């Protein structure tokens, strides 16, 4: 029996899978520690803020781990720039744009539903208690999606970084292919 799934042809690297599992666990744990740093109650309690900062600092290594795994698995880029961008960027930009627009429309939708502006800061920790619920404000934020994230799209910060890495990777790959092992070690 022949399986036509292209992913089956790729060899798995067991230690990378284990590292990915650890990094995923760290992401979950770091998000569990965020309320100790973000909420007003935690900020007013030095012990909460202290321990939230300790846990958060220890667990922040998850992001560099994911970035290094991405580099390990994708460098050097073995396809044309066009193919690489089509395969990688389309996969993340469509959901990124969809969710960014929905996050930015949330305040306006709460206004349509007659909910108070304070509901926005209950959902988005960094939003002001008196956030605007106007469509005009939402459209301004949506127009700024390509160049910056705001209090509603803070959860998307990793995707902004990933898009930047993907844009840079084919160019960096050319250097990786031509550089010596010693040059790479010096760079790192």
């Amino acid at each position: 029996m022949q399986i036509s799934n292209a992913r089956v042809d790729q060899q798995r690297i067991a230690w990378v899978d284990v590292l990915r599992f650890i990094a995923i666990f760290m992401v979950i744990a770091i998000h569990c520690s965020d309320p100790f740093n973000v909420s007003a109650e935690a900020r007013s309690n030095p012990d909460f803020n202290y321990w939230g900062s300790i846990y958060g600092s220890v667990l922040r290594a998850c992001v560099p781990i994911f970035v290094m795994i991405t580099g390990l698995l994708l460098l050097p880029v073995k396809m044309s720039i066009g193919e690489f961008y089509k395969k990688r960027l389309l996969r993340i930009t469509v959901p990124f744009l969809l969710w960014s627009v929905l996050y930015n429309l949330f305040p306006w939708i709460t206004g349509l539903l007659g909910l108070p502006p304070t509901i926005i800061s209950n959902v988005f920790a960094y939003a002001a208690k008196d956030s605007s619920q106007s469509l005009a404000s939402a459209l301004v934020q949506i127009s700024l999606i390509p160049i910056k994230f705001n209090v509603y799209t803070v959860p998307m910060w990793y995707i902004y970084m990933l898009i930047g890495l993907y844009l840079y990777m084919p160019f960096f790959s050319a250097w990786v292919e031509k550089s010596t092992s010693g040059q790479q070690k010096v760079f790192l």
Side-chain angles (χ1 to χ4, degrees):
M1 183 169 108
Q2 192 176 33
I3 300 174
S4 63
N5 188 349
R7 295 192 74 142
V8 173
D9 296 339
Q10 297 176 349
Q11 293 218 347
R12 306 281 313 176
I13 306 170
W15 67 268
V16 172
D17 288 339
V18 170
L19 194 58
R20 186 181 291 132
F21 173 79
I22 292 168
I24 289 168
F25 176 78
M26 291 170 73
V27 167
I28 293 167
I30 204 166
H31 284 285
C32 291
S33 74
D34 279 348
F36 292 102
N37 296 316
V38 177
S39 70
E41 296 84 12
R43 286 189 216 156
S44 65
N45 185 333
D47 286 337
F48 276 24
N49 203 258
Y50 174 77
W51 286 106
S53 297
I54 295 287
Y55 291 131
S57 297
V58 169
L59 297 167
R60 292 270 175 230
C62 60
V63 173
I65 289 171
F66 278 121
V67 170
M68 288 185 276
I69 289 172
T70 300
L72 174 79
L73 297 176
L74 294 180
L75 288 174
V77 174
K78 301 286 188 196
M79 56 184 76
S80 72
I81 291 176
E83 287 177 90
F84 180 80
Y85 286 159
K86 185 177 178 185
K87 181 177 181 179
R88 298 285 168 196
L89 285 177
L90 279 178
R91 186 182 300 171
I92 62 170
T93 53
V94 172
F96 164 73
L97 289 172
L98 174 72
W99 282 105
S100 294
V101 168
L102 289 174
Y103 281 154
N104 281 292
L105 287 175
F106 179 81
W108 175 64
I109 293 168
T110 62
L112 286 178
L113 296 173
L115 299 170
T118 54
I119 192 78
I120 300 165
S121 62
N122 289 342
V123 174
F124 299 101
Y126 297 106
K129 298 262 186 233
D130 59 346
S131 295
S132 172
Q133 292 176 304
S134 74
L135 179 60
S137 178
L139 293 176
V140 166
Q141 295 301 331
I142 290 169
S143 71
L144 295 174
I145 289 171
I147 54 175
K148 74 172 199 157
F149 63 89
N150 57 45
V151 295
Y152 307 121
T153 56
V154 167
M156 306 292 278
W157 74 268
Y158 185 82
I159 304 300
Y160 279 91
M161 182 190 65
L162 195 59
I163 290 170
L165 284 173
Y166 284 171
L167 288 171
Y168 176 71
M169 230 174 233
F171 301 100
F172 186 68
S173 180
W175 177 81
V176 169
E177 286 182 315
K178 293 187 179 14
S179 64
T180 67
S181 177
Q183 291 170 327
Q184 292 173 8
K185 286 178 183 175
V186 168
F187 176 79
L188 294 174

